[in-house]
Amino acid sequence: KHQEGYDLLLDDHTLYYILTDKSKANLDSMFFLHVKFDGKDEVVNLDFTGKSYEIDQLLGKDFESFVVIKREIPNNGTITELGTGQFINDDRLWSYVYEPEKLYDDMAFIYNDQYGDVLK
């Protein structure tokens, strides 16, 4: 959960961006997604537009006020670092960088079924 931007849920090599108030969404601006994998020096750039990966319309009536974006990450090994956010031209609207293995040490980052099985 975040105070700005989207809530993020990483499920293996699938990243969900979740916003519970559709009126706050800007799906026309670009999302950046930069991923590093174990044992590899290169950063994989997976930038995208939100509209291209939006799935909330598939989730049913309970989620009609949500925006949910589902972005697959290539399975090039264990994800060691993930940077994501949104930008317009050179201006970042919000951004976060994570090292997924370290998130398990902070219970605030552990998913506790807040959105249910409907995201699978």
Side-chain angles (χ1 to χ4, degrees):
K1 287 243 179 241
H2 298 289
Q3 291 185 4
E4 68 177 310
Y6 287 70
D7 294 337
L8 301 173
L9 171 62
L10 181 62
D11 182 14
D12 192 31
H13 283 76
T14 303
L15 182 62
Y16 295 94
Y17 296 77
I18 304 164
L19 189 63
T20 57
D21 183 353
K22 190 172 272 199
S23 69
K24 294 181 180 178
N26 180 353
L27 298 175
D28 293 320
S29 62
M30 291 293 293
F31 284 75
F32 70 88
L33 177 57
H34 302 162
V35 183
K36 288 176 91 175
F37 296 94
D38 190 31
K40 299 187 172 123
D41 291 332
E42 74 175 284
V43 174
V44 178
N45 182 338
L46 301 169
D47 293 358
F48 64 98
T49 59
K51 275 189 178 173
S52 301
Y53 294 91
E54 185 181 8
I55 65 164
D56 48 273
Q57 66 277 9
L58 305 175
L59 300 178
K61 190 174 181 170
D62 291 342
F63 291 87
E64 58 190 15
S65 67
F66 282 48
V67 171
V68 180
I69 296 167
K70 179 181 179 182
R71 187 66 165 102
E72 301 285 342
I73 298 171
N75 191 349
N76 295 343
T78 301
I79 297 169
T80 56
E81 186 175 285
L82 185 145
T84 192
Q86 243 179 319
F87 66 97
I88 298 175
N89 298 321
D90 291 332
D91 296 323
R92 285 198 175 176
L93 305 175
W94 60 272
S95 63
Y96 301 102
V97 176
Y98 299 104
E99 294 178 40
E101 288 300 316
K102 291 184 179 178
L103 294 178
Y104 295 109
D105 296 335
D106 185 347
M107 290 306 292
F109 289 106
I110 302 299
Y111 178 66
N112 192 22
D113 202 31
Q114 290 93 331
Y115 303 107
D117 292 335
V118 72
L119 296 178
K120 290 279 183 190

